[in-house]
Amino acid sequence: MSGDRPELDRLPTAEVVDLLLDAEARVAPALRRAAPALSRAAELLADTISSGGRIVFSGAGTSGRLAAAEAAELPGTFGVAEERCLALVAGGGTAPIEAAPINDAAEDDADGGAAGVRALGLTTRDVLVAVAASGRTPYTVAAATEALAAGATVIAIVTAAATPLGRLATAAVQVTVGDEVLRGSTRLTAGTAQKVALNTLTTAAMARAGRVHGDLMIDVVAGNAKLRERAMGIVAEIAGRSPADAAAALAACDDDARAAVLHLVHDLSPEIAKAAAATAPSLRHALRNGSER
């Protein structure tokens, strides 16, 4: 040890592994402390989803990669249109779904962060989720500042206390996890904390916005064999019908799981079922009202 810091290169591999895993154990308690802020941020994000606004995930370096990954996951998991889930990352510009290449040197490009937000034309309907472990990355702080000036909501995900980004955000999720075992390498414990915070934020928001039914991904996009089987199981479970019935209903309703459930439960035509699914705020709401059609 050097002072109270580990000399990783001099330790047995097993001890290095133990130190790294021990550090990860700090993440869950830190996230618990941030739970009220996560709840508030999820409510704000749910409002954006329900109103048809866009979600822009922004960051630089590791934080930018995590932001881009979150943007990539939402359309397939929750059926949100690709053009409403964007990644604005330092050195990579703006990309729907697929993460643009990220240039770590660009994290100091404050002008680039502001310009990226201006190019998007954000409005009061939109939200920027700004991810920065330090909470002071110039690119991300500038993007958040520009988004606020445009009237957008800003949610900050940071892992340090009393940061510029946290102070300016509409809602700041501060997950303080302490120093990294490999000093300064925020892809480690800070990265874990940011990833879990992002997963929690978006999943809670999607549930609030009606894009989850029970614990089921009712709006999953059935883009491959595994997901088609999953959608079939979801429809069968909710409707209380056989997998074969669920598969036929999905085929009749153009793979719209919500519509397939309504088609089976209330014996609606596929066309009426799809219209009801598209206009209802949630499947639960549509099921309550479906028998009136």
Side-chain angles (χ1 to χ4, degrees):
M1 300 284 286
S2 176
D4 60 350
R5 297 294 305 176
E7 295 183 333
L8 299 177
D9 59 313
R10 300 179 68 181
L11 294 176
T13 301
E15 290 188 31
V16 175
V17 169
D18 284 344
L19 285 169
L20 291 165
L21 294 179
D22 287 346
E24 296 298 296
R26 302 197 303 260
V27 172
L31 285 162
R32 287 291 182 189
R33 293 191 293 272
L38 272 167
S39 296
R40 178 172 181 244
E43 294 275 0
L44 293 171
L45 187 57
D47 289 342
T48 292
I49 296 161
S50 297
S51 67
R54 292 172 293 173
I55 311 164
V56 182
F57 295 88
S58 184
T62 296
S63 297
R65 293 179 183 91
L66 292 168
E70 198 68 22
E73 294 288 351
L74 298 188
T77 305
F78 298 108
V80 182
E82 294 180 5
E83 61 270 18
R84 292 179 58 200
C85 297
L86 303 172
L88 179 66
V89 296
T94 307
I97 301 193
E98 67 276 2
I102 298 174
N103 177 1
D104 289 352
E107 74 172 51
D108 295 327
D109 185 9
D111 290 343
V117 169
R118 284 195 297 274
L120 289 172
L122 297 188
T123 72
T124 56
R125 297 177 67 195
D126 302 320
V127 62
L128 180 85
V129 180
V131 188
S134 69
R136 58 184 70 251
T137 307
Y139 177 94
T140 312
V141 172
T145 301
E146 192 70 26
L148 284 172
T153 296
V154 171
I155 296 169
I157 307 288
V158 301
T159 59
T163 66
L165 183 58
R167 284 192 291 269
L168 68 83
T170 313
V173 178
Q174 178 182 296
V175 190
T176 52
V177 293
D179 293 337
E180 299 287 0
V181 173
L182 181 63
R183 197 181 311 187
S185 182
T186 54
R187 68 187 180 84
L188 297 174
T189 308
T192 302
Q194 288 175 307
K195 176 57 177 168
V196 178
L198 285 166
N199 285 350
T200 302
L201 168 68
T202 55
T203 304
M206 292 296 175
R208 175 74 180 186
R211 291 184 174 271
V212 172
H213 186 85
D215 65 345
L216 300 173
M217 296 185 292
I218 188 60
D219 290 331
V220 65
V221 176
N224 57 45
K226 178 189 73 176
L227 294 176
R228 284 191 291 274
E229 184 174 350
R230 180 170 298 163
M232 180 182 69
I234 288 170
V235 171
E237 180 175 337
I238 297 172
R241 300 286 287 271
S242 70
D245 286 346
L250 281 165
C253 295
D254 300 322
D255 290 326
D256 183 331
R258 290 195 196 200
V261 171
L262 295 173
H263 171 59
L264 291 172
V265 172
H266 291 306
D267 197 26
L268 302 178
S269 71
E271 292 73 21
I272 292 176
K274 286 189 289 184
T279 56
S282 68
L283 175 59
R284 203 171 297 280
H285 183 276
L287 284 167
R288 283 198 303 266
N289 296 322
S291 59
E292 302 171 5
R293 294 179 177 272

